[in-house]
Amino acid sequence: MTKVARYFIELMQVALGRTERLSGMPTEKQWYGLLQMSIDHSMQGIIFAGIQRLPQDQFPPLRVKMQFHGQSEAVKLRNETMNEQCVVVSEHFRKAGFRTAIMKGQGNARLYGELSDARSSGDIDLWVEGGFEKVNDFVQKTCPTKEVNELEIQYGAFPGIVVEVHYRPFIIRNFVFNARLQRFFDNEAEACFGQNEPVNWVTMRFNIIHQLAHIRLHLFTEGIGMRQLMDYYFVLLNSKEDRGEMMGIIRSLGMESFASALMWIMSNIFRLDDEKLLCEPNEKNGRFLFDEVVKSGNFGRNDKELKEKKKEAYGHFWLLFIRNLRYWRFDKWDWISGPIWRVYYRFWKRKRGFE
């Protein structure tokens, strides 16, 4: 781990109240490296919160601190806008007769406590009840789009805000495990949709499974950053669900190996208490996963190898087969189930005229 990465982790730990100071004093160049790393991982607000909690003798140079402050204020303002838009979007679909629930995003920010304004917001992920045909029919009538995939439909009815309308919350690129995942979501649907609040939020049971599957799939497809791992830290920190029961579901979905690696990160990087972990951490796989996350950045933003391969003639072949063989330890069959799913998805899109 580089010194910049080490200081980044320590600042994150300071922000979380897990430590009080850095192990050393970064140089000005390293402080700028920390600024860039916080941008790459969409963690500007969190890292600035850590800086503010440092003892005065470890403050960065004023010009660096001011840049962090500017980034942090932009994150705060964006959060205010997104919180307001969650209400507007939910009401829009309620008036059309749909029950909805917000996933990830601002739902995660609510779990951050006093750091809620420091979490970098993205888009609005809205789970809409009704299934593909009914939801897509409404979207195409109100704001036509060809941006449709096996999970969601891009809904452009709200300028300046990206709304992803999910007719199903997520998928696993294995037909057997995916069928089980959809049954889990079906079983959780009423608890999520039936809250009858201005904004319905998905349950903590839902979050534990959904976000684990989300992190895992994005590792395979484009990379994952520290913001998504911090989201999961707060999910586990705030959840009271029985760990044995949740691990039973995770095993049935083929995610036990990945969960044990992620628990090593939760324990050793985020310093989450043992009783909050889902299972026994796997150090070897955990270190491997953490190195991949540090290299990747938010959704592969900082993965130079990934960017270069996408430009090559056989880049997609590399992404589908060669790259994913590195993740054999997390899924022994994704190197083949992933491409099969991709073929299925291509025909699915063509049949519905979205290609």
Side-chain angles (χ1 to χ4, degrees):
M1 186 189 302
T2 66
K3 283 189 176 181
V4 170
R6 188 186 76 203
Y7 289 140
F8 180 90
I9 298 305
E10 290 175 355
L11 280 169
M12 186 181 70
Q13 292 169 346
V14 172
L16 296 175
R18 298 292 179 172
T19 190
E20 295 181 353
R21 60 185 297 119
L22 301 175
S23 60
M25 186 61 194
T27 64
E28 184 168 341
K29 182 178 180 180
Q30 288 169 341
W31 276 115
Y32 279 111
L34 284 164
L35 176 60
Q36 185 58 53
M37 190 171 180
S38 72
I39 293 171
D40 291 340
H41 287 267
S42 295
M43 293 275 284
Q44 305 98 302
I46 298 296
I47 297 304
F48 182 63
I51 290 172
Q52 290 179 299
R53 295 179 179 182
L54 288 173
Q56 192 169 358
D57 64 315
Q58 288 197 326
F59 281 172
L62 182 59
R63 54 182 170 272
V64 178
K65 188 176 181 181
M66 293 306 296
Q67 289 189 48
F68 266 109
H69 181 264
Q71 292 278 338
S72 181
E73 284 299 301
V75 168
K76 182 178 179 180
L77 289 172
R78 178 69 175 175
N79 268 307
E80 292 175 359
T81 298
M82 294 298 284
N83 287 332
E84 293 169 357
Q85 287 300 310
C86 282
V87 177
V88 172
V89 172
S90 297
E91 181 62 19
H92 174 76
F93 279 86
R94 182 179 289 108
K95 287 181 178 178
F98 291 95
R99 296 198 299 175
T100 64
I102 301 287
M103 307 184 298
K104 302 185 298 176
Q106 298 312 106
N108 282 333
R110 295 168 67 244
L111 305 176
Y112 275 53
E114 61 183 12
L115 292 174
S116 60
D117 287 340
R119 182 193 180 276
S120 296
S121 60
D123 48 30
I124 294 177
D125 288 272
L126 188 73
W127 183 18
V128 180
E129 186 180 31
F132 172 75
E133 298 298 339
K134 183 177 179 181
V135 173
N136 182 61
D137 183 62
F138 171 75
V139 169
Q140 301 303 337
K141 286 180 179 178
T142 56
C143 191
T145 180
K146 294 291 185 179
E147 294 186 72
V148 181
N149 64 32
E150 71 265 61
L151 286 177
E152 65 204 18
I153 308 167
Q154 295 290 320
Y155 194 50
F158 302 92
I161 300 293
V162 177
V163 178
E164 294 183 349
V165 174
H166 288 252
Y167 55 90
R168 57 179 172 181
F170 210 67
I171 54 98
I172 293 176
R173 299 189 304 182
N174 177 301
F175 290 95
V176 174
F177 292 147
N178 186 58
R180 294 174 184 172
L181 181 66
Q182 301 314 314
R183 284 197 295 272
F184 169 79
F185 290 144
D186 289 343
N187 291 335
E188 287 297 306
E190 187 58 35
C192 296
F193 294 134
Q195 299 165 38
N196 198 31
E197 299 290 337
V199 176
N200 294 329
W201 309 100
V202 294
T203 65
M204 296 303 289
R205 278 173 55 85
F206 180 102
N207 277 327
I208 289 173
I209 301 301
H210 175 254
Q211 293 190 45
L212 182 67
H214 177 265
I215 293 169
R216 180 176 174 272
L217 182 59
H218 277 289
L219 172 72
F220 278 78
T221 56
E222 58 184 337
I224 202 77
M226 291 299 295
R227 184 187 67 173
Q228 286 71 35
L229 300 193
M230 177 163 279
D231 283 350
Y232 207 66
Y233 163 85
F234 278 108
V235 166
L236 295 180
L237 182 67
N238 288 278
S239 69
K240 298 179 181 179
E241 277 61 31
D242 180 86
R243 271 30 185 174
E245 179 188 359
M246 299 314 297
M247 277 307 300
I249 298 170
I250 289 167
R251 289 189 193 96
S252 75
L253 299 173
M255 298 194 295
E256 182 178 10
S257 177
F258 185 75
S260 65
L262 186 56
M263 290 309 101
W264 183 87
I265 295 177
M266 293 294 110
S267 177
N268 291 273
I269 304 301
F270 288 87
R271 299 187 178 180
L272 185 64
D273 295 336
D274 288 349
E275 62 268 19
K276 290 291 186 178
L277 300 177
L278 291 171
C279 61
E280 188 71 22
N282 184 308
E283 180 177 357
K284 181 180 179 180
N285 289 349
R287 289 186 182 276
F288 172 84
L289 176 59
F290 179 65
D291 288 343
E292 291 293 301
V293 171
V294 170
K295 178 182 74 173
S296 174
N298 193 45
F299 295 134
R301 179 185 296 174
N302 203 38
D303 192 333
K304 295 179 181 179
E305 181 185 26
L306 184 62
K307 291 179 180 178
E308 289 301 316
K309 288 294 184 181
K310 284 183 176 180
K311 298 176 183 177
E312 297 178 5
Y314 296 98
H316 286 292
F317 174 84
W318 177 83
L319 284 169
L320 287 171
F321 291 96
I322 307 303
R323 180 176 181 269
N324 283 3
L325 284 174
R326 297 164 60 195
Y327 304 132
W328 174 276
R329 68 190 73 199
F330 301 134
D331 189 329
K332 293 180 173 60
W333 299 107
D334 189 81
W335 65 276
I336 186 63
S337 64
I340 290 173
W341 182 280
R342 188 182 180 92
V343 172
Y344 153 76
Y345 166 49
R346 179 171 293 180
F347 280 105
W348 183 91
K349 286 190 72 175
R350 184 176 297 175
K351 180 180 178 181
R352 289 161 176 79
F354 296 127
E355 191 169 73

